[in-house]
Amino acid sequence: MGLFNFGKSGEKEGKKLPKCSCQCGGTASEAGETTKADTGCCSGSRELQSVKVLGSGCKNCHALLENTGKALKSLGFSLEPEYVTDMAKIMEYGVMSMPALVVNEQVLSMGKVLNTSDIEKLLDKHGFIHG
């Protein structure tokens, strides 16, 4: 381990590891999974608790909202996406480009109208499971 990497959390053999997307403050392993040893709270799979589409009410924002609802339904979730148009709340997420997709209070996408397939892949990539 080099001088600058010594004792820093979230690093393994000089490589910076990404933060866990469940907001626990832990780090993910190189395989993209978070282990209980890393964080004490999760095992790489996370329960889907909230899904929000942030937007100004435009056509693209409504399209993302519709596609998100379809993706959740096709994956077997009973959860409906929440549509947030309050600019003060949107700014709290640090979103500067809309529409944006927020899952479990983490911004996963902004400035794009994702299709249903892309949303499904994104949820799978981030390890969200049916709760």
Side-chain angles (χ1 to χ4, degrees):
M1 204 177 323
L3 175 66
F4 296 107
N5 294 330
F6 182 75
K8 289 188 178 184
S9 65
E11 295 187 9
K12 183 177 180 180
E13 298 176 15
K15 294 182 181 178
K16 185 143 179 95
L17 298 175
K19 293 282 185 188
C20 176
S21 65
C22 76
Q23 304 295 320
C24 69
T27 58
S29 69
E30 288 182 36
E33 298 175 358
T34 306
T35 63
K36 287 185 179 187
D38 291 334
T39 67
C41 77
C42 57
S43 62
S45 295
R46 291 166 289 285
E47 184 178 334
L48 191 61
Q49 298 171 355
S50 70
V51 178
K52 298 176 185 176
V53 172
L54 313 180
S56 60
C58 69
K59 181 178 88 169
N60 288 340
C61 299
H62 283 283
L64 180 61
L65 179 65
E66 184 177 331
N67 293 346
T68 301
K70 288 178 184 177
L72 292 172
K73 189 172 187 173
S74 76
L75 291 171
F77 292 101
S78 60
L79 187 65
E80 290 288 325
E82 178 184 347
Y83 188 41
V84 179
T85 58
D86 182 343
M87 291 308 285
K89 289 182 182 178
I90 291 170
M91 296 310 286
E92 288 176 11
Y93 289 98
V95 170
M96 301 300 286
S97 181
M98 292 178 274
L101 180 63
V102 177
V103 179
N104 289 4
E105 299 303 312
Q106 178 187 12
V107 178
L108 297 186
S109 172
M110 69 174 109
K112 296 182 203 174
V113 179
L114 300 172
N115 63 37
T116 305
S117 175
D118 290 337
I119 295 166
E120 291 171 1
K121 289 175 188 173
L122 190 62
L123 292 173
D124 183 49
K125 175 183 172 187
H126 285 274
F128 293 104
I129 60 169
H130 184 71

